[in-house]
Amino acid sequence: MKLSTAIFQILLGPLALAGAVPKGESKITYGGYKAFRVATHNNPAAIKEKISKLSAVTYNIDNREHLDVAVPPQEIAAFEALKLEASVLHEDLGADIAKEGTVAAYEGVSAQAVPSLTWFNAYHAYADHVTFFSDLQAAFSNQSELVTAGTSFEGRTIFGIHLWGSGGKGSKPAVYYHGTVHAREWISTKVVEYIAYNLLTQYGTNTTVKAILDKYDFYILPVVNPDGFVYTQTTNRLWRKNRQTRSGQSCVGTDINRNWPYKWELTNGASTNACDETYKGLAAGDSPENKGLVAFTLGLKNSKGIKLFIDWHSYGQYILFPYGYDCSLKPANYALQSSLAAGTAARIKLSYGTSFTYGPSCSTLYATTGDSVDYLDSVGLAQYAWTIELRPTGSGTGGFVLPAAQILPTAIEQWEGQKYLLAAA
Ligand SMILES: *[C@@H]1O[C@H](CO)[C@@H](O)[C@H](O)[C@H]1NC(C)=O
Ligand SMILES: *[C@@H]1O[C@H](CO)[C@@H](O)[C@H](O)[C@H]1NC(C)=O
Ligand SMILES: [Zn+2]
């Protein structure tokens, strides 16, 4: 890397995560950045103070036990001299992003042919996801249609697919999935695509799958934050929020998963600072994406109701149910939710031994306000409203940058978990 580029990136790294990168900015490569997981032992402020003179980028949200930080190359020695209790997440974050981001070109299929499973061997550009879904829908047009849930800040359609079984279109309660609300959580896109793919391709051959799709209408929205997702591909792989600008604010982006109009007004689980990763917006539900998603959600609630909602995220390997906004609250059907989550975790583990922790969102992970799960539970009246945080745990390598070789195993274990859950729920 040329020195001038390096300096440019060093200057931009932290600002980028703070949301200040203007449009048309050149791509941040994170070349030579070394990523560490630093133990905080419930005192993240002390660690943050120690690293405050460095331009290290902190990129995890829950800092109670650890900070995940990416340290630019010229500061690695200074970071190591601090002798913090740390393990290495990426020897070279930029190299891992480059490897992961070798997005394969999607060739498409001839009319009405089923897309190939090789789709799940690589990550893809946003436009290819749109094409993949339209190809999948065209191949199974007797039991699917494309749906839309409004428009993003930059004008992209929030698209999805609706699947149904023998009862006909719209006849059953909804199973409703959101992927990629946080832009950098790429694996979530692939997982919901894999579930849609298997429901359709196995409906005609597998009685278990047929029974599931005959019992529920599925509404699968793979990229509910399209602007953020595109931005992670053009500019900053670690971007989280949407790309909404607001007058008088220099920082870009609202966290769509802190903007839902339920308990939004509470102050313990989101930020009022537009530069923060969990910025909640200026009013409940005021992001364009949230407006579209709320309307879509209410449509499902008011037709056949919502059996199950899952907001798919990464990373951490958690199954989380309500509530996010209050750590002392448990849902009315707590025992049932716990046992379903335990069963789902056990089924997930059977495939590759991957362990998932489960429990109420706030007490298990951290407090969140204006989040989708609380809204779907309390307003959407979903019987089950969950968040699933996919691989990895974070103690190994990966983080948001999960190697492409793990797409298929991650998707397979979740598909197994969903087949269990949908039969048992
Ligand atoms: C749709 O067509 C496929 C292929 O002919 C068939 O296996 C499936 O049962 C049909 N689905 C419905 C809901 O009729
Ligand atoms: C159908 O799916 C179930 C559940 O995953 C599985 O146990 C079974 O072996 C499959 N049957 C066929 C015929 O593939
Ligand atoms: Zn997330």
Side-chain angles (χ1 to χ4, degrees):
M1 167 175 12
K2 281 186 312 208
L3 186 61
S4 57
T5 320
I7 289 167
F8 187 59
Q9 283 172 344
I10 289 152
L11 291 173
L12 281 177
L15 288 177
L17 282 191
V21 175
K23 274 188 191 165
E25 195 53 89
S26 65
K27 190 165 186 165
I28 301 159
T29 67
Y30 293 100
Y33 276 61
K34 190 166 178 176
F36 297 90
R37 167 157 287 195
V38 185
T40 56
H41 301 294
N42 283 309
N43 191 1
I47 304 292
K48 284 179 179 167
E49 168 64 24
K50 284 185 181 161
I51 62 172
S52 62
K53 291 195 179 60
L54 306 176
S55 49
V57 178
T58 298
Y59 60 87
N60 63 329
I61 300 297
D62 174 19
N63 300 153
R64 287 172 305 181
E65 290 175 10
H66 49 256
L67 292 180
D68 292 348
V69 292
V71 181
Q74 79 290 356
E75 292 183 350
I76 292 171
F79 177 85
E80 287 174 341
L82 294 172
K83 300 220 180 307
L84 302 175
E85 184 185 336
S87 60
V88 176
L89 297 177
H90 294 277
E91 284 293 342
D92 183 340
L93 177 61
D96 287 347
I97 289 173
K99 257 187 272 169
E100 172 220 43
T102 312
V103 291
Y106 176 59
E107 303 296 338
V109 291
S110 55
Q112 273 129 61
V114 180
S116 161
L117 258 182
T118 58
W119 171 259
F120 299 98
N121 295 342
Y123 294 100
H124 289 85
Y126 175 72
D128 284 346
H129 288 280
V130 177
T131 309
F132 174 82
F133 268 91
S134 81
D135 287 349
L136 190 62
Q137 193 280 324
F140 297 95
S141 56
N142 64 333
Q143 59 183 129
S144 69
E145 72 180 16
L146 296 175
V147 293
T148 61
T151 308
S152 69
F153 182 77
E154 292 176 348
R156 293 183 179 88
T157 298
I158 298 173
F159 72 94
I161 194 165
H162 171 192
L163 319 177
W164 60 85
S166 59
K169 176 177 150 185
S171 61
K172 304 291 182 192
V175 173
Y176 180 28
Y177 297 149
H178 286 180
T180 337
V181 62
H182 292 141
R184 60 196 177 188
E185 298 167 10
W186 287 7
I187 187 62
S188 68
T189 331
K190 288 283 174 175
V191 165
V192 299
E193 286 171 345
Y194 189 77
I195 296 170
Y197 184 91
N198 279 283
L199 286 167
L200 288 171
T201 56
Q202 294 183 28
Y203 180 83
T205 54
N206 186 302
T207 52
T208 308
V209 175
K210 183 174 189 308
I212 290 171
L213 197 41
D214 286 344
K215 199 169 162 195
Y216 301 112
D217 278 54
F218 282 73
Y219 301 84
I220 300 176
L221 277 44
V223 190
V224 302
N225 177 11
D227 301 347
F229 183 68
V230 167
Y231 192 73
T232 63
Q233 299 192 323
T234 59
T235 311
N236 184 352
R237 177 66 186 83
L238 295 183
W239 187 259
R240 168 184 167 95
K241 300 183 283 183
N242 74 0
R243 294 293 301 160
Q244 185 170 5
T245 54
R246 295 170 184 270
S247 65
Q249 293 180 353
S250 59
C251 286
V252 175
T254 298
D255 185 343
I256 300 168
N257 201 33
R258 299 293 184 280
N259 189 240
W260 287 81
Y262 181 72
K263 302 292 177 187
W264 177 90
E265 65 286 355
L266 300 183
T267 54
N268 60 323
S271 175
T272 52
N273 179 347
C275 299
D276 284 350
E277 295 281 38
T278 57
Y279 178 53
K280 67 197 282 187
L282 291 172
D286 73 352
S287 74
E289 293 82 4
N290 200 271
K291 287 189 171 74
L293 295 170
V294 162
F296 191 84
T297 301
L298 294 178
L300 298 183
K301 171 193 174 185
N302 294 332
S303 51
K304 301 292 175 207
I306 302 169
K307 175 76 180 184
L308 169 69
F309 168 77
I310 297 180
D311 204 338
W312 297 87
H313 292 248
S314 72
Y315 54 98
Q317 295 175 200
Y318 291 100
I319 299 171
L320 303 170
F321 45 84
Y323 291 92
Y325 73 91
D326 183 337
C327 293
S328 64
L329 277 186
K330 288 174 177 175
N333 55 359
Y334 175 75
L336 188 54
Q337 299 232 31
S338 279
S339 93
L340 286 172
T344 304
R347 185 61 63 91
I348 290 168
K349 194 169 188 173
L350 282 182
S351 298
Y352 302 98
T354 313
S355 293
F356 277 69
T357 305
Y358 60 88
S361 175
C362 184
S363 56
T364 306
L365 196 54
Y366 46 77
T368 54
T369 52
D371 63 81
S372 63
V373 159
D374 291 346
Y375 182 88
L376 264 288
D377 174 277
S378 300
V379 184
L381 303 183
Q383 191 171 347
Y384 307 103
W386 289 7
T387 293
I388 294 186
E389 296 275 359
L390 297 161
R391 293 186 189 191
T393 57
S395 54
T397 54
F400 300 113
V401 184
L402 190 68
Q406 287 198 43
I407 296 172
L408 205 46
T410 303
I412 288 170
E413 68 195 9
Q414 294 306 325
W415 167 235
E416 293 303 318
Q418 291 302 293
K419 280 188 290 187
Y420 159 81
L421 177 61
L422 292 166

